[in-house]
């Protein structure tokens, strides 16, 4: 499967050289010149390359927020300074790696490969009943493809950020709708309900999406136990 890399960078020359090198090496790329654009694309990417200084804010704060929301998408920070404290700040904000400008596009590609190799064993939701293909926006329950609305697809994608993690309704609202939308918890619940119905109709247990009382929702990281005849 082709991995999709989101490049968040406002300098067109850097953006284009990184994106070109990635495409040349078989990756799919998407570009975000601002954090606002990045916000809606970040959790659908397999990896994000993130500049620190962006026109609408700090890349590091954006990164911290993603991590606080439970998003574990690998992120490589493009740091413009070579100070030790900047590199430490990037790692402490939750970056998986960083490269210091000026860098060669080949170096970025090598780092991307290394990070993807490192995260893959745990990143793949083995045993999880649900999976999404961000590039094609297709979702599956076991082998059956689900016919989802945009919101339902984005919800599943957000929940699959880390299977097993509990996501609060406000985290889901921020991931799916972003800031500034007046979405109520009840709206989230009704989309989850419809999602469960579709999962169930596809022959998979609706409990694959679990309600964690008083907290939110999580996707069961492994198959729920088969019903037993022993009692
Ligand atoms: Ca910049």
């Amino acid at each position: 499967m082709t991995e999709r890399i989101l490049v968040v960078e406002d300098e067109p020359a850097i953006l284009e050289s990184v994106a070109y090198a990635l495409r040349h090496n078989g990756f799919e790329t998407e570009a975000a010149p601002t954090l606002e654009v990045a916000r809606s694309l970040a959790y659908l990417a397999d990896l994000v390359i993130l500049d620190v200084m962006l026109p609408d804010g700090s890349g590091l704060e954006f990164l911290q927020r993603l991590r606080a929301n439970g998003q574990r998408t690998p992120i490589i920070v493009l740091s413009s300074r070579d100070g030790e404290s900047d590199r430490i700040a990037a790692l402490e904000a939750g970056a998986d790696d960083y490269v210091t400008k000026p860098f060669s596009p080949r170096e970025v590609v090598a780092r991307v490969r290394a990070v993807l190799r490192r995260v893959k064993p745990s990143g793949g939701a083995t045993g999880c009943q649900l999976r999404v293909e961000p590039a094609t926006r297709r979702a599956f329950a076991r082998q059956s493809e689900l016919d989802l609305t945009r919101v339902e697809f984005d919800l599943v994608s957000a929940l699959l950020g880390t299977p097993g993690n509990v996501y609060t309704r406000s985290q889901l609202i921020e991931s799916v709708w972003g800031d500034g939308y007046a979405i109520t918890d009840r709206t989230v619940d009704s989309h989850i309900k419809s999602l469960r119905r579709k999962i169930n109709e596809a022959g998979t247990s609706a409990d694959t999406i679990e309600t964690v009382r008083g907290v939110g929702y999580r996707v069961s990281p492994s198959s729920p136990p088969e019903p037993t005849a022993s009692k």
Side-chain angles (χ1 to χ4, degrees), residues 8-11 33 35 50-60 77-81 101:
V8 188
E9 167 64 80
D10 58 318
E11 287 169 58
L35 293 175
L50 179 64
D51 188 28
V52 174
M53 310 259 282
L54 289 149
D56 55 344
S58 150
L60 292 189
V77 164
L78 299 180
S79 159
S80 45
R81 286 161 294 181
K101 293 180 183 176

Side-chain angles (χ1 to χ4, degrees), residues 65-231:
R65 244 172 120 180
L66 282 184
R67 294 299 187 239
N69 266 327
Q71 293 302 324
R72 300 268 302 272
T73 311
I75 293 180
I76 298 175
V77 164
L78 299 180
S79 159
S80 45
R81 286 161 294 181
D82 196 14
E84 187 191 41
S85 55
D86 293 317
R87 299 198 300 268
I88 291 171
L91 295 175
E92 286 190 338
D96 295 87
D97 202 354
Y98 55 82
V99 268
T100 307
K101 293 180 183 176
F103 49 78
S104 75
R106 282 179 58 201
E107 179 184 1
V108 176
V109 172
R111 299 274 181 148
V112 165
R113 287 217 175 99
V115 168
L116 287 174
R117 258 199 315 275
R118 212 162 64 211
V119 300
K120 234 173 189 167
S122 57
T126 50
C128 183
Q129 310 266 5
L130 298 177
R131 101 192 136 79
V132 292
E133 284 181 12
T136 55
R137 293 189 66 87
R138 295 169 78 196
F140 301 85
R142 291 196 199 141
Q143 298 312 317
S144 310
E145 183 164 3
L146 300 169
D147 182 18
L148 302 183
T149 64
R150 184 195 70 81
V151 165
E152 290 161 1
F153 178 86
D154 289 348
L155 264 178
V156 176
S157 300
L159 287 165
L160 286 172
T162 308
N165 257 25
V166 182
Y167 291 88
T168 65
R169 290 174 179 80
S170 46
Q171 285 174 332
L172 293 172
I173 290 169
E174 183 168 338
S175 288
V176 174
W177 287 273
D179 283 338
Y181 284 83
I183 303 296
T184 64
D185 289 357
R186 192 177 291 222
T187 304
V188 176
D189 294 344
S190 89
H191 286 289
I192 292 275
K193 189 175 170 191
S194 147
L195 195 49
R196 281 180 170 148
R197 181 177 50 76
K198 290 179 181 180
I199 291 168
N200 197 36
E201 281 169 5
T204 295
S205 167
D207 295 339
T208 302
I209 297 179
E210 297 169 20
T211 303
V212 180
R213 206 170 290 276
V215 186
Y217 294 103
R218 69 178 204 136
V219 167
S220 167
S222 56
S223 313
E226 293 296 322
T228 51
S230 64
K231 60 173 182 182

